[in-house]
Amino acid sequence: MNNAPATTPDDSEPAPRSEQELRDAMVRRLIELGAARSPRVVAAFRAVPRHLATPGVDVAKAYDAEYVAVTKTDASGVDVSSVSAARIQAMQIEQADIRPGMNVLEIGSGGVNAAYLAEMAGEQGQVVTVDIDPDVTRRARDFLKATGYHNVTVVTADGEHGVPEHAPYDRIVVTVQAADVPPAWVHQLRDGGRLVVPLRMRGMTRTVAFVRDGERLVSDGFELCGFVPMQGAGENRMRLAVLHDAEGEEIALRLDGHPEPDTEALRAALRTPRAEAWSGVTLAGDESNEHLDLWLTTALDDLPLMAAKPAARQRGLVASASPLGVPTLVEGDSFAYRTVRPTNDPDRYELGAIGHGPRARAVAERLVEEIRTWDRDHRAHRAHIEVHPAGTPDDRLPAGRVIDRPHTRITISWP
Ligand SMILES: C[S@@+](CC[C@H](N)C(=O)[O-])C[C@H]1O[C@@H](n2cnc3c(N)ncnc32)[C@H](O)[C@@H]1O
């Protein structure tokens, strides 16, 4: 099966590659991207015939490390189920550090990732995968049966409650965006066990590897990522404050526990001329903003993300149209968002802020001040994230940003 041609032979085309060749090429890419690092993760990604989970999708596409196969979209057009990109799956499995014989729970099924987890846990291990959607669990069961992964138990239920029947787990890997950590995930994890979860904090989602320490979870690394949002009891979607609604060039602030903005004033502000402020701080062309953005969200109280359609940028309404959203400082009737401009060095960009509204310059300057603080005091460090039960008093939390959710108090702190 693994050596069957991936495409129909055609004299005018290069020779078709076998499924195993496509898998090997995907694995080389995962290694290049730094997503797969350890030999056992590499071996797992070489073994699973992931294309069988996406019938109808071109086999070469199914082995593209970045390809996400969306399998369900809800009535409002939001993607709610998918087979995640191999890059993200490998990244999370590395974070989970799964050893043979472990008992692993996956929240959010699809089949493919459960097969990788089963490779990691080995014959003596056990994998339980739970999904809220019976269509998904049916597909996952079919895939796991067809590919011979018999040590995976597939459960249809709301993963908010974990799967108590098979607990305790050595590892829990969540493959759906969560805004909170329900108590069941902590209590069904062994002390010292690892929970890997795409946790949304103030609008941005990072897959965080946590280690359980009693009632507390302590981070051991995190990576920026995107996931479909959680459904069921833990559903907690972001709200939008729409600043510009012309079709195809929409601009909106994504609110995730931020104060309610004066949307009318901010809509008017967007129509006022820009005020720019520049920091003198530069980034290399291939350097991510993610740690800067985490610092900004730690330091500034009212910093939602501004998302814009590409046409809004093309028309010059905003300078950025990042799909992840751009940190935007809101102060009453004015706002300013992070931006970059070229420098004389073709490989470096200068960070700055673009403000709009009556206090455009002051707000842009305030954002730039925090960019300089990050560069001076925090650039060489990584943030530390902890999760404590709701109700933990302030004086028992680490210093820094506190994000209050129904079940937990999430903290982001910096050395
Ligand atoms: C990105 S997909 C999972 C991908 C999968 N792990 C794979 O093999 O690539 C996210 C899944 O989470 C599921 N989901 C959403 N809310 C859930 C909940 N409360 N409990 C369990 N599953 C949930 C969705 O139905 C969807 O199938």
PDB file of all heavy atoms in Angstrom, residues 184-219:
ATOM      1  N   ALA A 184     -11.363  19.282  34.988  1.00  0.00           N
ATOM      2  CA  ALA A 184     -11.190  17.851  34.656  1.00  0.00           C
ATOM      3  C   ALA A 184      -9.832  17.597  34.007  1.00  0.00           C
ATOM      4  O   ALA A 184      -9.213  16.548  34.240  1.00  0.00           O
ATOM      5  CB  ALA A 184     -12.314  17.409  33.706  1.00  0.00           C
ATOM      6  N   TRP A 185      -9.348  18.533  33.215  1.00  0.00           N
ATOM      7  CA  TRP A 185      -8.062  18.304  32.539  1.00  0.00           C
ATOM      8  C   TRP A 185      -6.926  18.252  33.565  1.00  0.00           C
ATOM      9  O   TRP A 185      -5.996  17.462  33.419  1.00  0.00           O
ATOM     10  CB  TRP A 185      -7.764  19.385  31.499  1.00  0.00           C
ATOM     11  CG  TRP A 185      -8.782  19.474  30.400  1.00  0.00           C
ATOM     12  CD1 TRP A 185      -9.871  18.672  30.214  1.00  0.00           C
ATOM     13  CD2 TRP A 185      -8.798  20.424  29.323  1.00  0.00           C
ATOM     14  NE1 TRP A 185     -10.572  19.072  29.097  1.00  0.00           N
ATOM     15  CE2 TRP A 185      -9.933  20.139  28.529  1.00  0.00           C
ATOM     16  CE3 TRP A 185      -7.976  21.486  28.953  1.00  0.00           C
ATOM     17  CZ2 TRP A 185     -10.266  20.885  27.394  1.00  0.00           C
ATOM     18  CZ3 TRP A 185      -8.289  22.227  27.826  1.00  0.00           C
ATOM     19  CH2 TRP A 185      -9.427  21.922  27.049  1.00  0.00           C
ATOM     20  N   VAL A 186      -7.005  19.102  34.562  1.00  0.00           N
ATOM     21  CA  VAL A 186      -5.951  19.112  35.586  1.00  0.00           C
ATOM     22  C   VAL A 186      -6.061  17.846  36.435  1.00  0.00           C
ATOM     23  O   VAL A 186      -5.069  17.146  36.669  1.00  0.00           O
ATOM     24  CB  VAL A 186      -6.066  20.376  36.477  1.00  0.00           C
ATOM     25  CG1 VAL A 186      -4.960  20.401  37.526  1.00  0.00           C
ATOM     26  CG2 VAL A 186      -6.026  21.649  35.623  1.00  0.00           C
ATOM     27  N   HIS A 187      -7.289  17.523  36.847  1.00  0.00           N
ATOM     28  CA  HIS A 187      -7.457  16.421  37.804  1.00  0.00           C
ATOM     29  C   HIS A 187      -7.278  15.050  37.159  1.00  0.00           C
ATOM     30  O   HIS A 187      -6.943  14.084  37.852  1.00  0.00           O
ATOM     31  CB  HIS A 187      -8.807  16.549  38.511  1.00  0.00           C
ATOM     32  CG  HIS A 187      -8.851  17.790  39.354  1.00  0.00           C
ATOM     33  ND1 HIS A 187      -9.967  18.566  39.508  1.00  0.00           N
ATOM     34  CD2 HIS A 187      -7.861  18.411  40.063  1.00  0.00           C
ATOM     35  CE1 HIS A 187      -9.663  19.607  40.278  1.00  0.00           C
ATOM     36  NE2 HIS A 187      -8.388  19.527  40.613  1.00  0.00           N
ATOM     37  N   GLN A 188      -7.491  14.943  35.840  1.00  0.00           N
ATOM     38  CA  GLN A 188      -7.295  13.652  35.183  1.00  0.00           C
ATOM     39  C   GLN A 188      -5.849  13.453  34.713  1.00  0.00           C
ATOM     40  O   GLN A 188      -5.515  12.421  34.128  1.00  0.00           O
ATOM     41  CB  GLN A 188      -8.282  13.503  34.014  1.00  0.00           C
ATOM     42  CG  GLN A 188      -9.713  13.335  34.520  1.00  0.00           C
ATOM     43  CD  GLN A 188     -10.755  13.317  33.426  1.00  0.00           C
ATOM     44  OE1 GLN A 188     -10.483  12.959  32.282  1.00  0.00           O
ATOM     45  NE2 GLN A 188     -11.974  13.705  33.763  1.00  0.00           N
ATOM     46  N   LEU A 189      -5.014  14.478  34.955  1.00  0.00           N
ATOM     47  CA  LEU A 189      -3.597  14.390  34.587  1.00  0.00           C
ATOM     48  C   LEU A 189      -2.815  13.983  35.826  1.00  0.00           C
ATOM     49  O   LEU A 189      -3.045  14.511  36.912  1.00  0.00           O
ATOM     50  CB  LEU A 189      -3.152  15.784  34.111  1.00  0.00           C
ATOM     51  CG  LEU A 189      -1.749  15.947  33.537  1.00  0.00           C
ATOM     52  CD1 LEU A 189      -1.596  15.157  32.240  1.00  0.00           C
ATOM     53  CD2 LEU A 189      -1.476  17.443  33.266  1.00  0.00           C
ATOM     54  N   ARG A 190      -1.871  13.048  35.674  1.00  0.00           N
ATOM     55  CA  ARG A 190      -1.030  12.679  36.832  1.00  0.00           C
ATOM     56  C   ARG A 190      -0.207  13.884  37.273  1.00  0.00           C
ATOM     57  O   ARG A 190       0.170  14.712  36.438  1.00  0.00           O
ATOM     58  CB  ARG A 190      -0.026  11.603  36.416  1.00  0.00           C
ATOM     59  CG  ARG A 190      -0.581  10.237  36.347  1.00  0.00           C
ATOM     60  CD  ARG A 190       0.582   9.254  36.081  1.00  0.00           C
ATOM     61  NE  ARG A 190       0.098   8.084  35.382  1.00  0.00           N
ATOM     62  CZ  ARG A 190      -0.572   7.087  35.953  1.00  0.00           C
ATOM     63  NH1 ARG A 190      -0.823   7.121  37.249  1.00  0.00           N
ATOM     64  NH2 ARG A 190      -0.984   6.057  35.246  1.00  0.00           N
ATOM     65  N   ASP A 191       0.107  13.962  38.533  1.00  0.00           N
ATOM     66  CA  ASP A 191       0.996  15.042  38.982  1.00  0.00           C
ATOM     67  C   ASP A 191       2.333  14.866  38.258  1.00  0.00           C
ATOM     68  O   ASP A 191       2.816  13.732  38.108  1.00  0.00           O
ATOM     69  CB  ASP A 191       1.179  14.976  40.511  1.00  0.00           C
ATOM     70  CG  ASP A 191       1.463  16.360  41.071  1.00  0.00           C
ATOM     71  OD1 ASP A 191       1.067  17.356  40.421  1.00  0.00           O
ATOM     72  OD2 ASP A 191       2.090  16.449  42.130  1.00  0.00           O
ATOM     73  N   GLY A 192       2.872  15.941  37.724  1.00  0.00           N
ATOM     74  CA  GLY A 192       4.107  15.849  36.931  1.00  0.00           C
ATOM     75  C   GLY A 192       3.833  15.550  35.463  1.00  0.00           C
ATOM     76  O   GLY A 192       4.740  15.603  34.639  1.00  0.00           O
ATOM     77  N   GLY A 193       2.572  15.231  35.131  1.00  0.00           N
ATOM     78  CA  GLY A 193       2.205  14.941  33.733  1.00  0.00           C
ATOM     79  C   GLY A 193       2.133  16.224  32.913  1.00  0.00           C
ATOM     80  O   GLY A 193       2.130  17.333  33.470  1.00  0.00           O
ATOM     81  N   ARG A 194       2.064  16.066  31.595  1.00  0.00           N
ATOM     82  CA  ARG A 194       2.082  17.240  30.704  1.00  0.00           C
ATOM     83  C   ARG A 194       0.740  17.413  30.007  1.00  0.00           C
ATOM     84  O   ARG A 194       0.166  16.448  29.480  1.00  0.00           O
ATOM     85  CB  ARG A 194       3.161  17.092  29.628  1.00  0.00           C
ATOM     86  CG  ARG A 194       4.568  17.176  30.175  1.00  0.00           C
ATOM     87  CD  ARG A 194       5.588  16.807  29.119  1.00  0.00           C
ATOM     88  NE  ARG A 194       5.983  17.942  28.302  1.00  0.00           N
ATOM     89  CZ  ARG A 194       6.932  18.812  28.633  1.00  0.00           C
ATOM     90  NH1 ARG A 194       7.583  18.675  29.771  1.00  0.00           N
ATOM     91  NH2 ARG A 194       7.249  19.801  27.841  1.00  0.00           N
ATOM     92  N   LEU A 195       0.294  18.665  29.994  1.00  0.00           N
ATOM     93  CA  LEU A 195      -0.905  19.052  29.247  1.00  0.00           C
ATOM     94  C   LEU A 195      -0.444  19.998  28.136  1.00  0.00           C
ATOM     95  O   LEU A 195       0.180  21.025  28.423  1.00  0.00           O
ATOM     96  CB  LEU A 195      -1.885  19.793  30.171  1.00  0.00           C
ATOM     97  CG  LEU A 195      -3.022  20.566  29.489  1.00  0.00           C
ATOM     98  CD1 LEU A 195      -4.031  19.608  28.857  1.00  0.00           C
ATOM     99  CD2 LEU A 195      -3.748  21.482  30.489  1.00  0.00           C
ATOM    100  N   VAL A 196      -0.738  19.634  26.898  1.00  0.00           N
ATOM    101  CA  VAL A 196      -0.395  20.511  25.766  1.00  0.00           C
ATOM    102  C   VAL A 196      -1.715  21.068  25.242  1.00  0.00           C
ATOM    103  O   VAL A 196      -2.606  20.305  24.853  1.00  0.00           O
ATOM    104  CB  VAL A 196       0.359  19.728  24.676  1.00  0.00           C
ATOM    105  CG1 VAL A 196       0.607  20.604  23.455  1.00  0.00           C
ATOM    106  CG2 VAL A 196       1.672  19.187  25.226  1.00  0.00           C
ATOM    107  N   VAL A 197      -1.840  22.388  25.254  1.00  0.00           N
ATOM    108  CA  VAL A 197      -3.148  22.973  24.938  1.00  0.00           C
ATOM    109  C   VAL A 197      -2.993  24.271  24.143  1.00  0.00           C
ATOM    110  O   VAL A 197      -2.211  25.144  24.528  1.00  0.00           O
ATOM    111  CB  VAL A 197      -3.970  23.197  26.239  1.00  0.00           C
ATOM    112  CG1 VAL A 197      -3.237  24.002  27.276  1.00  0.00           C
ATOM    113  CG2 VAL A 197      -5.320  23.834  25.940  1.00  0.00           C
ATOM    114  N   PRO A 198      -3.739  24.398  23.022  1.00  0.00           N
ATOM    115  CA  PRO A 198      -3.751  25.679  22.302  1.00  0.00           C
ATOM    116  C   PRO A 198      -4.595  26.672  23.099  1.00  0.00           C
ATOM    117  O   PRO A 198      -5.817  26.692  23.005  1.00  0.00           O
ATOM    118  CB  PRO A 198      -4.434  25.345  20.966  1.00  0.00           C
ATOM    119  CG  PRO A 198      -4.555  23.852  20.931  1.00  0.00           C
ATOM    120  CD  PRO A 198      -4.565  23.390  22.356  1.00  0.00           C
ATOM    121  N   LEU A 199      -3.922  27.452  23.921  1.00  0.00           N
ATOM    122  CA  LEU A 199      -4.616  28.315  24.872  1.00  0.00           C
ATOM    123  C   LEU A 199      -4.704  29.731  24.306  1.00  0.00           C
ATOM    124  O   LEU A 199      -3.679  30.318  23.958  1.00  0.00           O
ATOM    125  CB  LEU A 199      -3.830  28.306  26.191  1.00  0.00           C
ATOM    126  CG  LEU A 199      -4.485  28.966  27.389  1.00  0.00           C
ATOM    127  CD1 LEU A 199      -5.815  28.295  27.734  1.00  0.00           C
ATOM    128  CD2 LEU A 199      -3.547  28.890  28.607  1.00  0.00           C
ATOM    129  N   ARG A 200      -5.923  30.226  24.222  1.00  0.00           N
ATOM    130  CA  ARG A 200      -6.109  31.605  23.725  1.00  0.00           C
ATOM    131  C   ARG A 200      -5.956  32.560  24.890  1.00  0.00           C
ATOM    132  O   ARG A 200      -6.666  32.444  25.891  1.00  0.00           O
ATOM    133  CB  ARG A 200      -7.495  31.737  23.095  1.00  0.00           C
ATOM    134  CG  ARG A 200      -7.621  32.967  22.211  1.00  0.00           C
ATOM    135  CD  ARG A 200      -9.022  33.084  21.674  1.00  0.00           C
ATOM    136  NE  ARG A 200      -9.908  33.644  22.668  1.00  0.00           N
ATOM    137  CZ  ARG A 200     -11.180  33.291  22.846  1.00  0.00           C
ATOM    138  NH1 ARG A 200     -11.727  32.360  22.116  1.00  0.00           N
ATOM    139  NH2 ARG A 200     -11.906  33.864  23.782  1.00  0.00           N
ATOM    140  N   MET A 201      -4.997  33.468  24.754  1.00  0.00           N
ATOM    141  CA  MET A 201      -4.773  34.456  25.809  1.00  0.00           C
ATOM    142  C   MET A 201      -4.834  35.815  25.159  1.00  0.00           C
ATOM    143  O   MET A 201      -4.024  36.136  24.300  1.00  0.00           O
ATOM    144  CB  MET A 201      -3.390  34.234  26.433  1.00  0.00           C
ATOM    145  CG  MET A 201      -3.304  32.924  27.211  1.00  0.00           C
ATOM    146  SD  MET A 201      -1.606  32.518  27.710  1.00  0.00           S
ATOM    147  CE  MET A 201      -0.901  32.053  26.144  1.00  0.00           C
ATOM    148  N   ARG A 202      -5.833  36.618  25.527  1.00  0.00           N
ATOM    149  CA  ARG A 202      -6.004  37.967  24.991  1.00  0.00           C
ATOM    150  C   ARG A 202      -5.920  37.953  23.452  1.00  0.00           C
ATOM    151  O   ARG A 202      -5.182  38.706  22.840  1.00  0.00           O
ATOM    152  CB  ARG A 202      -4.987  38.904  25.612  1.00  0.00           C
ATOM    153  CG  ARG A 202      -4.998  38.802  27.153  1.00  0.00           C
ATOM    154  CD  ARG A 202      -5.341  40.067  27.843  1.00  0.00           C
ATOM    155  NE  ARG A 202      -4.430  41.115  27.580  1.00  0.00           N
ATOM    156  CZ  ARG A 202      -4.686  42.392  27.896  1.00  0.00           C
ATOM    157  NH1 ARG A 202      -5.826  42.720  28.478  1.00  0.00           N
ATOM    158  NH2 ARG A 202      -3.820  43.319  27.631  1.00  0.00           N
ATOM    159  N   GLY A 203      -6.675  37.027  22.867  1.00  0.00           N
ATOM    160  CA  GLY A 203      -6.867  37.023  21.411  1.00  0.00           C
ATOM    161  C   GLY A 203      -5.907  36.165  20.631  1.00  0.00           C
ATOM    162  O   GLY A 203      -6.221  35.754  19.525  1.00  0.00           O
ATOM    163  N   MET A 204      -4.729  35.900  21.182  1.00  0.00           N
ATOM    164  CA  MET A 204      -3.763  35.090  20.428  1.00  0.00           C
ATOM    165  C   MET A 204      -3.648  33.716  21.040  1.00  0.00           C
ATOM    166  O   MET A 204      -3.642  33.580  22.262  1.00  0.00           O
ATOM    167  CB  MET A 204      -2.389  35.756  20.428  1.00  0.00           C
ATOM    168  CG  MET A 204      -2.249  36.737  19.302  1.00  0.00           C
ATOM    169  SD  MET A 204      -0.552  37.193  19.047  1.00  0.00           S
ATOM    170  CE  MET A 204      -0.820  38.553  17.920  1.00  0.00           C
ATOM    171  N   THR A 205      -3.545  32.704  20.159  1.00  0.00           N
ATOM    172  CA  THR A 205      -3.498  31.331  20.646  1.00  0.00           C
ATOM    173  C   THR A 205      -2.070  30.807  20.557  1.00  0.00           C
ATOM    174  O   THR A 205      -1.414  30.960  19.528  1.00  0.00           O
ATOM    175  CB  THR A 205      -4.455  30.466  19.807  1.00  0.00           C
ATOM    176  OG1 THR A 205      -5.753  31.047  19.894  1.00  0.00           O
ATOM    177  CG2 THR A 205      -4.522  29.036  20.327  1.00  0.00           C
ATOM    178  N   ARG A 206      -1.643  30.206  21.637  1.00  0.00           N
ATOM    179  CA  ARG A 206      -0.330  29.572  21.658  1.00  0.00           C
ATOM    180  C   ARG A 206      -0.503  28.167  22.194  1.00  0.00           C
ATOM    181  O   ARG A 206      -1.201  27.980  23.194  1.00  0.00           O
ATOM    182  CB  ARG A 206       0.631  30.346  22.560  1.00  0.00           C
ATOM    183  CG  ARG A 206       0.982  31.705  21.983  1.00  0.00           C
ATOM    184  CD  ARG A 206       1.806  32.527  22.946  1.00  0.00           C
ATOM    185  NE  ARG A 206       2.342  33.698  22.284  1.00  0.00           N
ATOM    186  CZ  ARG A 206       1.688  34.852  22.113  1.00  0.00           C
ATOM    187  NH1 ARG A 206       0.451  34.983  22.581  1.00  0.00           N
ATOM    188  NH2 ARG A 206       2.243  35.856  21.478  1.00  0.00           N
ATOM    189  N   THR A 207       0.125  27.189  21.541  1.00  0.00           N
ATOM    190  CA  THR A 207       0.069  25.864  22.124  1.00  0.00           C
ATOM    191  C   THR A 207       1.133  25.834  23.228  1.00  0.00           C
ATOM    192  O   THR A 207       2.321  26.022  22.980  1.00  0.00           O
ATOM    193  CB  THR A 207       0.162  24.715  21.086  1.00  0.00           C
ATOM    194  OG1 THR A 207       0.367  23.499  21.794  1.00  0.00           O
ATOM    195  CG2 THR A 207       1.211  24.903  20.035  1.00  0.00           C
ATOM    196  N   VAL A 208       0.634  25.668  24.449  1.00  0.00           N
ATOM    197  CA  VAL A 208       1.501  25.747  25.628  1.00  0.00           C
ATOM    198  C   VAL A 208       1.686  24.339  26.190  1.00  0.00           C
ATOM    199  O   VAL A 208       0.722  23.583  26.296  1.00  0.00           O
ATOM    200  CB  VAL A 208       0.886  26.648  26.731  1.00  0.00           C
ATOM    201  CG1 VAL A 208       1.881  26.842  27.882  1.00  0.00           C
ATOM    202  CG2 VAL A 208       0.434  27.978  26.180  1.00  0.00           C
ATOM    203  N   ALA A 209       2.927  23.976  26.510  1.00  0.00           N
ATOM    204  CA  ALA A 209       3.193  22.714  27.216  1.00  0.00           C
ATOM    205  C   ALA A 209       3.232  23.053  28.701  1.00  0.00           C
ATOM    206  O   ALA A 209       4.085  23.824  29.138  1.00  0.00           O
ATOM    207  CB  ALA A 209       4.522  22.136  26.771  1.00  0.00           C
ATOM    208  N   PHE A 210       2.275  22.496  29.454  1.00  0.00           N
ATOM    209  CA  PHE A 210       2.234  22.725  30.897  1.00  0.00           C
ATOM    210  C   PHE A 210       2.619  21.439  31.628  1.00  0.00           C
ATOM    211  O   PHE A 210       2.296  20.334  31.166  1.00  0.00           O
ATOM    212  CB  PHE A 210       0.811  23.084  31.349  1.00  0.00           C
ATOM    213  CG  PHE A 210       0.367  24.470  30.989  1.00  0.00           C
ATOM    214  CD1 PHE A 210      -0.615  24.667  30.023  1.00  0.00           C
ATOM    215  CD2 PHE A 210       0.904  25.588  31.623  1.00  0.00           C
ATOM    216  CE1 PHE A 210      -1.054  25.944  29.693  1.00  0.00           C
ATOM    217  CE2 PHE A 210       0.472  26.863  31.302  1.00  0.00           C
ATOM    218  CZ  PHE A 210      -0.506  27.038  30.337  1.00  0.00           C
ATOM    219  N   VAL A 211       3.229  21.609  32.790  1.00  0.00           N
ATOM    220  CA  VAL A 211       3.495  20.478  33.673  1.00  0.00           C
ATOM    221  C   VAL A 211       2.624  20.670  34.904  1.00  0.00           C
ATOM    222  O   VAL A 211       2.550  21.778  35.458  1.00  0.00           O
ATOM    223  CB  VAL A 211       4.991  20.422  34.058  1.00  0.00           C
ATOM    224  CG1 VAL A 211       5.256  19.288  35.049  1.00  0.00           C
ATOM    225  CG2 VAL A 211       5.855  20.255  32.803  1.00  0.00           C
ATOM    226  N   ARG A 212       1.934  19.597  35.315  1.00  0.00           N
ATOM    227  CA  ARG A 212       1.079  19.716  36.511  1.00  0.00           C
ATOM    228  C   ARG A 212       1.935  19.693  37.782  1.00  0.00           C
ATOM    229  O   ARG A 212       2.766  18.806  37.964  1.00  0.00           O
ATOM    230  CB  ARG A 212       0.062  18.567  36.555  1.00  0.00           C
ATOM    231  CG  ARG A 212      -0.816  18.690  37.783  1.00  0.00           C
ATOM    232  CD  ARG A 212      -1.908  17.650  37.883  1.00  0.00           C
ATOM    233  NE  ARG A 212      -2.581  17.845  39.173  1.00  0.00           N
ATOM    234  CZ  ARG A 212      -3.481  17.039  39.680  1.00  0.00           C
ATOM    235  NH1 ARG A 212      -3.860  15.974  39.018  1.00  0.00           N
ATOM    236  NH2 ARG A 212      -4.031  17.285  40.856  1.00  0.00           N
ATOM    237  N   ASP A 213       1.661  20.674  38.642  1.00  0.00           N
ATOM    238  CA  ASP A 213       2.319  20.732  39.940  1.00  0.00           C
ATOM    239  C   ASP A 213       1.200  20.945  40.960  1.00  0.00           C
ATOM    240  O   ASP A 213       0.824  22.076  41.241  1.00  0.00           O
ATOM    241  CB  ASP A 213       3.326  21.898  39.930  1.00  0.00           C
ATOM    242  CG  ASP A 213       3.951  22.122  41.299  1.00  0.00           C
ATOM    243  OD1 ASP A 213       3.897  21.199  42.132  1.00  0.00           O
ATOM    244  OD2 ASP A 213       4.478  23.231  41.536  1.00  0.00           O
ATOM    245  N   GLY A 214       0.625  19.859  41.423  1.00  0.00           N
ATOM    246  CA  GLY A 214      -0.529  19.954  42.332  1.00  0.00           C
ATOM    247  C   GLY A 214      -1.714  20.553  41.597  1.00  0.00           C
ATOM    248  O   GLY A 214      -2.119  20.068  40.545  1.00  0.00           O
ATOM    249  N   GLU A 215      -2.237  21.654  42.127  1.00  0.00           N
ATOM    250  CA  GLU A 215      -3.411  22.300  41.516  1.00  0.00           C
ATOM    251  C   GLU A 215      -2.999  23.310  40.450  1.00  0.00           C
ATOM    252  O   GLU A 215      -3.836  23.956  39.831  1.00  0.00           O
ATOM    253  CB  GLU A 215      -4.227  23.031  42.592  1.00  0.00           C
ATOM    254  CG  GLU A 215      -4.952  22.103  43.541  1.00  0.00           C
ATOM    255  CD  GLU A 215      -5.967  21.218  42.815  1.00  0.00           C
ATOM    256  OE1 GLU A 215      -6.888  21.762  42.192  1.00  0.00           O
ATOM    257  OE2 GLU A 215      -5.820  19.973  42.864  1.00  0.00           O
ATOM    258  N   ARG A 216      -1.697  23.472  40.275  1.00  0.00           N
ATOM    259  CA  ARG A 216      -1.175  24.518  39.403  1.00  0.00           C
ATOM    260  C   ARG A 216      -0.549  23.888  38.162  1.00  0.00           C
ATOM    261  O   ARG A 216      -0.020  22.774  38.225  1.00  0.00           O
ATOM    262  CB  ARG A 216      -0.123  25.255  40.244  1.00  0.00           C
ATOM    263  CG  ARG A 216       0.758  26.229  39.584  1.00  0.00           C
ATOM    264  CD  ARG A 216       1.699  26.822  40.639  1.00  0.00           C
ATOM    265  NE  ARG A 216       2.873  25.983  40.810  1.00  0.00           N
ATOM    266  CZ  ARG A 216       4.132  26.430  40.783  1.00  0.00           C
ATOM    267  NH1 ARG A 216       4.385  27.710  40.649  1.00  0.00           N
ATOM    268  NH2 ARG A 216       5.155  25.597  40.930  1.00  0.00           N
ATOM    269  N   LEU A 217      -0.612  24.599  37.027  1.00  0.00           N
ATOM    270  CA  LEU A 217       0.093  24.170  35.820  1.00  0.00           C
ATOM    271  C   LEU A 217       1.185  25.194  35.533  1.00  0.00           C
ATOM    272  O   LEU A 217       0.935  26.408  35.614  1.00  0.00           O
ATOM    273  CB  LEU A 217      -0.865  24.120  34.623  1.00  0.00           C
ATOM    274  CG  LEU A 217      -2.045  23.150  34.711  1.00  0.00           C
ATOM    275  CD1 LEU A 217      -3.032  23.423  33.571  1.00  0.00           C
ATOM    276  CD2 LEU A 217      -1.560  21.702  34.645  1.00  0.00           C
ATOM    277  N   VAL A 218       2.367  24.706  35.179  1.00  0.00           N
ATOM    278  CA  VAL A 218       3.513  25.591  34.955  1.00  0.00           C
ATOM    279  C   VAL A 218       4.026  25.369  33.531  1.00  0.00           C
ATOM    280  O   VAL A 218       4.241  24.227  33.122  1.00  0.00           O
ATOM    281  CB  VAL A 218       4.630  25.258  35.976  1.00  0.00           C
ATOM    282  CG1 VAL A 218       5.841  26.137  35.761  1.00  0.00           C
ATOM    283  CG2 VAL A 218       4.102  25.404  37.401  1.00  0.00           C
ATOM    284  N   SER A 219       4.233  26.456  32.797  1.00  0.00           N
ATOM    285  CA  SER A 219       4.603  26.292  31.380  1.00  0.00           C
ATOM    286  C   SER A 219       6.033  25.808  31.217  1.00  0.00           C
ATOM    287  O   SER A 219       6.925  26.150  31.987  1.00  0.00           O
ATOM    288  CB  SER A 219       4.426  27.615  30.625  1.00  0.00           C
ATOM    289  OG  SER A 219       5.388  28.561  31.026  1.00  0.00           O
TER     290      SER A 219
END
